[in-house]
Amino acid sequence: MGRWLIASAWPYINYMPHLGTMIGSILSADVVARYLRMKGEEVLFVSGSDEHGTPIEVEAVKKGIAPKRLTDENHAKVKELFKEWGISFDNYTRTENEVHKKFVQEFYMELYRRGFVFTKDVTLPYCPKCRRFLPDRFVTGTCPYCGYPEARGDQCDKCGRLLEPSMLKDPKCTICGTKPIWRQSKHWFFDLPKLSDDLRRYIERNKNLPENARNMSLRMLEEGLKPRSLTRDNKWGIPAPFPGAEGKTIYVWMEAVLGYLSATIEYFLNKGDPKGWEKFWLDPSTRSVFFIAKDNIPFHTIIFPALLMASGRGYVLPWRVDSVEYLTFEGQKFSKSRRIGVWIDEALKFLPADYWRFALISMRPETKDSNFTWDVFISTVNSILNDTIGNFVHRTLKLVERHFDSKIPSPGSLSQEDMALLDGVRCLFLEASGLLDSFKLKDALNKIVEIARLGNKYLNETAPWDLVKKDKTRAATVLYVALRIVKALSIALAPIIPFSADKMWHMLGYDDSVHDHRWFEALEDLPIGQRIQKPSPLFKKISRKDIESIKGSTESRLVDMRDFGKLELKVGKVISAERISGSDRLLKLTVDIGDNTYKTVVAGIGRDYDPERLVGRKVIVLTNIRPKVIAGVSSEAMILAACHGEQLSLLTVDRDIPEGARVR
Ligand SMILES: [Zn+2]
Ligand SMILES: [Zn+2]
């Protein structure tokens, strides 16, 4: 038996994770953790919400709330969603937990005492109006590479290049828009180059790094490592513990990565075993595996090991960094702002977690980028999950229910053919195990699907539904063999589709959970005479239409042209306008929309337009909406305006067009 620390990259929780994050780290880690547990290994699976840093601080400042209010909410939501996705964390924690904060501060003080931390004065943008330094995305400006005007101080969203605040043209404070001044600020740095030789040795000797991680790391060493900044002038974060560093926090990247350790410590503290963590981090026989996307490689193969080395505590270095390539979505990068992708909360509104888990593992980008398309998703669910696996299980159980009184039949002697089949199943199962052992989850899943294919082929060739009429003993044997395959599938699929695998297990008549059973029981006999449960289909097919409803709400806001035609937009002329008493925002307008038709409109434009100046103006009106009572007045139409931040501008026509003209 071995000991494993399974870790998935900590999701940054300014928003929900999307499917790319799931397959890149969390879901892959879960499959491996579940597999190893079933093999009887000692496993600890940890992760947590990464909640400090500028993106969240900026959002909170803009909303006028404390950052922790934002992260409290998101952390609770994400934690619940991971449960619904069947992610079997032993500890899913957060960087605001006290154990983590204390650990980080003590850890860096130790590095400071050991001479791995030095200070340097740096010139940074400072907002005289907000009276604060502007780290990372607190400053915005024009990208020097691509000219994008909203580039952030740390990165350009348009061209993806990493930036320094000083590289931005026309920089401005993200919060108030003021032009920053440049000020000196003292900062603390981690002396990474000091560890270059040790790191090179570690990477060259580590046979478990995937090729992309090894190559990228060696290239970085080749180019020469640079000191990494450890502190920020942020308020939201873990206070920097160094003497003279009051008011500064630890840079979020350098802090969250230590969460793997603190989450282990916290797990054992909660269990009342304060020294329990040591075997996972100090005993060199522990194998630690980190599931990350490839953009995270340097932090896990260079910076994290370097921090562990510098501490002098003899921490176990990462045994494997499992860095998948990217999953794109219909050929594009997942993007929150552009609404490209599916997020983990939306996904579950349409289909249970197992559908997504199965499809994502089957398209896991193990050796090259892979592309999520709805076509592939539909065919994976329909022809593999439903037709190949679901139907085989259902057919078998139905026959047992109908012809053998819902009891696992006692087989006659197995034929040559039966033996060959069970041998084939055994081979595929062992191949799948070997592939899981080498973290090839997608290939392992393919082998497991092959098992179901063998089962279907066997049923088709033996036709037990005919056999029962002619040779009931032979039919019993055939169904017994088929049930053995159902059992093998239930165990083999347990790490991948934990909910459905458990359902299969219960349908076989077991009353405990498949997850409490051992991996190699998949190849064992069945309890003859055991009563099976009433079979019901495990999966359902999905149609284009189901997908349209997902797409409509997530992937894009595209509407059909016919839908636009449903909106009746007309040119209107304002006949009268007055303020609605008690509101500085609402105006009551009467609008002529042609054909002697007048509409009363309540519009929230009172802060931008004086009522007197509106009379006689042409506006664009949405005329076919259901009336709605606003501030006691029935509003029968809407007028269109463009909004930019606080600014508002009414739409109009730029030629003399009569009221009543249709807008197309
Ligand atoms: Zn400012
Ligand atoms: Zn750019």
Side-chain angles (χ1 to χ4, degrees):
M1 195 172 99
R3 186 185 311 109
W4 298 81
L5 182 88
I6 302 296
S8 63
W10 290 41
Y12 194 67
I13 53 153
N14 54 339
Y15 199 59
M16 302 297 111
H18 54 61
L19 299 186
T21 313
M22 280 315 266
I23 193 56
S25 56
I26 297 148
L27 177 58
S28 300
D30 182 61
V31 170
V32 170
R34 286 176 175 279
Y35 165 68
L36 291 171
R37 285 191 201 109
M38 287 184 92
K39 279 202 8 183
E41 304 282 284
E42 186 180 4
V43 173
L44 189 74
F45 177 19
V46 295
S47 186
S49 298
D50 177 3
E51 54 188 314
H52 296 135
T54 43
I56 283 170
E57 192 175 350
V58 167
E59 203 173 319
V61 171
K62 279 186 176 166
K63 286 187 172 162
I65 59 171
K68 185 150 186 300
R69 242 185 76 190
L70 252 179
T71 58
D72 279 348
E73 211 175 282
N74 286 351
H75 173 70
K77 232 195 263 176
V78 165
K79 194 174 175 180
E80 188 52 41
L81 279 163
F82 285 154
K83 257 189 229 155
E84 290 172 29
W85 272 78
I87 308 299
S88 61
F89 289 121
D90 293 297
N91 189 19
Y92 183 80
T93 181
R94 58 192 290 187
T95 51
E96 262 294 290
N97 89 62
E98 292 305 319
V99 176
H100 176 70
K101 292 200 267 191
K102 186 163 160 260
F103 179 82
V104 167
Q105 291 185 323
E106 287 175 1
F107 185 93
Y108 279 114
M109 272 315 285
E110 185 64 25
L111 259 55
Y112 176 81
R113 281 191 290 266
R114 290 173 54 85
F116 283 98
V117 176
F118 65 90
T119 59
K120 203 169 81 180
D121 282 328
V122 274
T123 311
L124 293 171
Y126 179 89
C127 176
K129 192 165 165 215
C130 300
R131 282 193 275 162
R132 62 168 298 159
F133 280 99
L134 302 176
D136 309 317
R137 57 178 76 188
F138 267 102
V139 58
T140 343
T142 302
C143 172
Y145 298 104
C146 73
Y148 180 58
E150 299 289 321
R152 300 185 264 104
D154 52 355
Q155 193 170 21
C156 171
D157 268 345
K158 183 89 179 288
C159 68
R161 285 189 177 82
L162 295 179
L163 304 173
E164 295 285 337
S166 61
M167 294 160 80
L168 293 173
K169 283 187 268 178
D170 306 320
K172 54 186 194 296
C173 168
T174 303
I175 302 300
C176 73
T178 302
K179 189 175 174 208
I181 54 174
W182 293 85
R183 270 205 187 173
Q184 287 239 314
S185 179
K186 186 162 144 182
H187 277 282
W188 280 253
F189 290 81
F190 171 49
D191 198 349
L192 184 61
K194 244 189 185 175
L195 293 148
S196 301
D197 292 339
D198 293 333
L199 283 167
R200 188 188 309 278
R201 226 167 295 132
Y202 159 69
I203 287 160
E204 282 171 354
R205 282 186 196 163
N206 189 335
K207 298 283 172 254
N208 301 301
L209 289 180
E211 219 173 336
N212 61 359
R214 170 187 309 274
N215 293 343
M216 190 187 282
S217 311
L218 289 175
R219 200 172 337 119
M220 280 178 70
L221 284 161
E222 205 69 25
E223 288 167 2
L225 301 176
K226 291 186 192 69
R228 304 293 299 208
S229 89
L230 268 181
T231 49
R232 281 289 186 275
D233 293 295
N234 283 41
K235 297 187 180 74
W236 173 234
I238 299 177
F242 314 116
E246 292 76 22
K248 314 219 178 236
T249 50
I250 300 282
Y251 181 36
V252 60
W253 280 94
M254 300 301 276
E255 164 243 295
V257 77
L258 295 175
Y260 301 121
L261 264 153
S262 69
T264 313
I265 295 171
E266 189 194 37
Y267 171 78
F268 282 102
L269 278 176
N270 290 344
K271 273 183 62 169
D273 178 10
K275 286 195 167 287
W277 68 273
E278 289 178 357
K279 59 184 176 188
F280 281 93
W281 282 98
L282 298 176
D283 180 340
S285 71
T286 296
R287 281 170 279 184
S288 56
V289 187
F290 299 81
F291 289 85
I292 61 164
K294 72 175 167 191
D295 54 349
N296 231 330
I297 289 173
F299 260 89
H300 289 79
T301 59
I302 302 271
I303 294 166
F304 184 47
L307 290 172
L308 296 174
M309 289 170 183
S311 76
R313 293 281 312 266
Y315 289 126
V316 171
L317 301 178
W319 183 79
R320 179 181 171 89
V321 173
D322 197 87
S323 41
V324 291
E325 303 288 312
Y326 291 128
L327 180 74
T328 51
F329 186 85
E330 295 275 2
Q332 290 178 285
K333 247 180 95 175
F334 280 82
S335 159
K336 180 184 147 198
S337 54
R338 289 162 60 215
R339 303 288 304 153
I340 296 166
V342 177
W343 277 259
I344 64 168
D345 50 340
E346 299 167 327
L348 296 187
K349 286 183 197 150
F350 299 102
L351 287 168
D354 278 353
Y355 288 72
W356 300 102
R357 291 180 63 117
F358 188 91
L360 285 171
I361 295 294
S362 77
M363 42 182 105
R364 186 169 187 256
E366 292 184 349
T367 50
K368 55 183 195 312
D369 288 354
S370 125
N371 186 19
F372 181 103
T373 68
W374 288 116
D375 286 338
V376 173
F377 182 72
I378 293 174
S379 79
T380 303
V381 166
N382 289 355
S383 69
I384 303 177
L385 190 61
N386 185 74
D387 291 353
T388 306
I389 296 171
N391 282 0
F392 167 68
V393 173
H394 193 61
R395 278 209 288 172
T396 305
L397 293 168
K398 266 297 199 204
L399 288 164
V400 174
E401 181 193 39
R402 192 171 307 146
H403 302 293
F404 291 92
D405 191 25
S406 294
K407 285 187 190 132
I408 295 178
S410 171
S413 57
L414 300 191
S415 70
Q416 210 70 34
E417 186 192 12
D418 303 337
M419 309 267 229
L421 171 74
L422 288 177
D423 239 19
V425 170
R426 185 189 172 81
C427 280
L428 286 167
F429 181 80
L430 294 178
E431 281 179 70
S433 313
L435 288 162
L436 286 169
D437 287 332
S438 45
F439 306 95
K440 296 201 166 81
L441 315 186
K442 175 180 154 179
D443 296 343
L445 177 56
N446 288 337
K447 295 288 172 195
I448 297 166
V449 171
E450 282 304 314
I451 295 178
R453 288 217 171 92
L454 283 187
N456 277 316
K457 194 165 155 256
Y458 178 69
L459 283 189
N460 292 344
E461 285 168 4
T462 52
W465 47 89
D466 287 334
L467 273 179
V468 283
K469 294 173 223 153
K470 299 178 271 190
D471 182 352
K472 192 133 187 196
T473 313
R474 179 66 196 141
T477 312
V478 165
L479 286 175
Y480 175 82
V481 169
L483 285 170
R484 285 265 314 250
I485 300 177
V486 173
K487 179 179 179 176
L489 282 174
S490 164
I491 290 182
L493 287 167
I496 296 161
I497 44 173
F499 301 104
S500 312
D502 211 26
K503 241 194 244 170
M504 274 184 224
W505 186 252
H506 289 143
M507 282 187 200
L508 282 172
Y510 295 103
D511 47 21
D512 54 2
S513 162
V514 69
H515 304 291
D516 296 332
H517 283 263
R518 287 294 162 84
W519 184 249
F520 288 104
E521 286 178 47
L523 303 173
E524 290 174 9
D525 281 339
L526 288 163
I528 287 159
Q530 174 164 278
R531 176 166 286 280
I532 65 161
Q533 267 189 12
K534 186 155 188 56
S536 60
L538 283 165
F539 309 105
K540 60 172 202 261
K541 286 202 189 206
I542 52 173
S543 68
R544 277 261 140 221
K545 226 179 127 200
D546 296 326
I547 297 309
E548 290 307 320
S549 72
I550 304 179
K551 280 163 98 175
S553 66
T554 62
E555 175 196 349
S556 68
R557 299 291 177 189
L558 297 183
V559 295
D560 203 276
M561 280 195 206
R562 278 172 315 200
D563 293 331
F564 180 74
K566 289 180 193 160
L567 303 178
E568 195 179 273
L569 293 164
K570 286 184 176 174
V571 176
K573 188 173 164 188
V574 180
I575 303 298
S576 71
E578 59 188 83
R579 287 196 182 275
I580 291 180
S581 66
S583 167
D584 65 339
R585 208 170 57 82
L586 295 179
L587 301 184
K588 179 182 159 189
L589 314 176
T590 305
V591 184
D592 180 353
I593 57 162
D595 295 330
N596 293 320
T597 312
Y598 299 88
K599 293 264 185 190
T600 304
V601 181
V602 178
I605 56 172
R607 283 186 201 147
D608 304 85
Y609 291 92
D610 285 330
E612 308 80 67
R613 295 190 44 209
L614 282 172
V615 175
R617 283 182 65 161
K618 294 265 172 75
V619 287
I620 306 299
V621 193
L622 174 61
T623 56
N624 61 333
I625 55 164
R626 285 189 195 93
K628 193 179 167 202
V629 177
I630 304 169
V633 180
S634 173
S635 182
E636 306 162 323
M638 291 173 88
I639 59 172
L640 270 56
C643 303
H644 179 70
E646 298 282 279
Q647 263 185 331
L648 197 149
S649 171
L650 288 173
L651 298 193
T652 186
V653 283
D654 69 351
R655 275 162 214 239
D656 195 14
I657 286 194
E659 41 277 23
R662 268 304 283 271
V663 175
R664 290 171 205 281

